Amino acid sequence: MDTATHFAMGFGLAGLAYLDPVVASTPSLGMAVMIGTVIGSQAPDLDGLVRLRGTAAYIRNHRGVSHSVPALFLWTGAIFVLIQAMMPQPHWLHLLGWIFLAVCLHVFVDLFNSYGTKGLYPFRDKWVALNAIFIFDPFIFAAHLVGFMLWAAGAHPGHVFLWIYVIIAGYYYWRCQVQRRTTELVRQRIGKAGTFTIIPTLSWTYWTFVAKTEQHWYVGEVISGDVVILDTFSIKPENERIAAAKKSYKVQSFLAFTHHVHVETKERSFGYEVKWIDLRYRSRFQGKSHYMFVAVVYLDFDLTIRDSFVGWIHRGEEQLTKKLDSKRS
């Protein structure tokens, strides 16, 4: 989820904590729990600091081991020690439990969007993305805002957020059911065996999809139950140019993150361009299909890497060319 929603969930859990009679009867513990749940709801995303090492490192590591099973305990322990050092609590086990819940909830809800996490690591070293909830969901955020207003008006925060989280749990279940039904619609439309990835958007009635069969990739959208195929790509065997370009660390980081990838090669004046595109992130630029998340390698005619790029391109091919040309100049 986005940062604002994680913050909201942190405060929401602080309200829910008032169902705990020890928290409700101990003001200092209530404050410590609020600090702990708000920090805990953000802590796993501190891996964003790896961006300082470059885009490739960020792509490879963001929502990786920081969202893993061992990290749940490491984040909880670090936050607990920090709060205890600042404002020691005799009922420390209650504080520890609510911090742990906040960290776990962060990782859990991140599993439901298209970016996903390595939330099952080390038991499963793959990205898990359940593709049911958009990264920012207005319903979930609005539900928290209603809860905060009721809390401010004098309602019991524990009771308020207990009902809110019951409703949100039901909402997650409903979205998962809709996602399954949408997947079946796409499967019927393609009419071939394969893998089908249905991706949520800000709208409840609009989904995008990526489907892979034995010979093709299909990219499209589902609008109110109507399935439309927008782009089709043939799956081609790997050649020596692609193999040479895959030696780039940036490409390796890109491929470690996504498996919805189509690769294209093009001869250029200096040699070859090899470009991988993540088919999940399609937009339109100047009336043409444009895939925003890419990895590109420039090779000379001896298949030696001259330059490479990985990241987001929002304004079409010209923006990518300028980025690479500016680095070579």
Side-chain angles (χ1 to χ4, degrees):
M1 303 299 289
D2 66 299
T3 300
T5 302
H6 282 308
F7 263 121
M9 287 183 169
F11 284 108
L13 286 177
L16 184 68
Y18 279 85
L19 290 176
D20 182 339
V22 178
V23 174
S25 62
T26 312
S28 63
L29 178 59
M31 179 58 67
V33 166
M34 177 174 288
I35 294 172
T37 55
V38 171
I39 297 176
S41 70
Q42 294 293 325
D45 280 347
L46 289 175
D47 66 356
L49 294 173
V50 78
R51 190 187 293 272
L52 297 173
R53 294 169 48 197
T55 303
Y58 177 78
I59 291 169
R60 182 180 284 265
N61 294 288
H62 182 50
R63 292 191 179 179
V65 294
S66 67
H67 287 60
S68 66
V69 174
L72 299 178
F73 300 95
L74 294 175
W75 288 123
T76 299
I79 297 167
F80 172 75
V81 169
L82 176 64
I83 295 176
Q84 279 292 89
M86 294 189 301
M87 44 191 308
Q89 300 297 318
H91 303 292
W92 58 268
L93 193 58
H94 295 260
L95 173 62
L96 186 66
W98 285 104
I99 293 172
F100 182 67
L101 179 59
V103 176
C104 289
L105 184 63
H106 176 116
V107 174
F108 178 75
V109 298
D110 276 355
L111 294 173
F112 286 85
N113 57 51
S114 61
Y115 197 99
T117 76
K118 282 192 174 182
L120 298 181
Y121 182 85
F123 305 105
R124 183 183 179 190
D125 190 18
K126 291 185 178 181
W127 292 86
V128 180
L130 300 179
N131 297 306
I133 305 291
F134 192 57
I135 194 167
F136 173 76
D137 190 291
F139 178 83
I140 295 172
F141 192 74
H144 282 84
L145 292 183
V146 171
F148 299 145
M149 288 188 289
L150 292 173
W151 187 357
H156 188 286
H159 298 157
V160 168
F161 280 98
L162 175 60
W163 278 108
I164 284 175
Y165 285 129
V166 167
I167 291 170
I168 289 176
Y171 174 72
Y172 268 73
Y173 176 78
W174 172 70
R175 289 290 289 170
C176 288
Q177 293 304 308
V178 174
Q179 196 260 9
R180 291 191 184 97
R181 290 195 296 269
T182 306
T183 300
E184 186 58 32
L185 288 175
V186 174
R187 192 188 311 274
Q188 294 174 4
R189 174 65 176 83
I190 299 298
K192 300 176 183 178
T195 58
F196 301 86
T197 302
I198 312 302
I199 303 167
T201 69
L202 197 60
S203 169
W204 286 348
T205 60
Y206 177 64
W207 301 74
T208 62
F209 69 85
V210 179
K212 183 182 182 182
T213 64
E214 186 176 352
Q215 296 181 330
H216 294 93
W217 285 103
Y218 298 91
V219 180
E221 58 189 12
V222 183
I223 306 173
S224 299
D226 293 329
V227 180
V228 180
I229 297 173
L230 299 171
D231 292 321
T232 303
F233 301 94
S234 297
I235 298 175
K236 299 177 181 179
E238 182 173 300
N239 56 40
E240 60 179 1
R241 301 171 191 175
I242 296 173
K246 285 174 71 173
K247 296 177 182 178
S248 165
Y249 171 76
K250 295 178 182 179
V251 172
Q252 292 170 9
S253 298
F254 182 84
L255 296 179
F257 166 71
T258 178
H259 302 288
H260 303 81
V261 179
H262 173 67
V263 59
E264 301 172 340
T265 61
K266 182 188 301 182
E267 187 167 334
R268 302 285 294 268
S269 59
F270 53 80
Y272 307 101
E273 174 187 294
V274 184
K275 179 169 70 174
W276 286 263
I277 57 176
D278 190 328
L279 298 175
R280 295 175 297 174
Y281 302 107
R282 178 189 181 277
S283 70
R284 293 190 67 81
F285 181 78
Q286 296 180 345
K288 299 180 181 179
S289 291
H290 169 59
Y291 291 87
M292 298 182 289
F293 190 39
V294 303
V296 182
V297 175
Y298 282 175
L299 304 168
D300 62 22
F301 287 108
D302 294 325
L303 303 185
T304 300
I305 296 175
R306 295 182 50 169
D307 205 350
S308 60
F309 169 84
V310 63
W312 295 87
I313 300 296
H314 298 281
R315 299 190 303 275
E317 198 71 23
E318 291 184 2
Q319 182 186 1
L320 175 61
T321 301
K322 288 180 180 178
K323 283 180 177 290
L324 285 162
D325 287 346
S326 65
K327 291 169 61 180
R328 294 205 315 273
S329 59

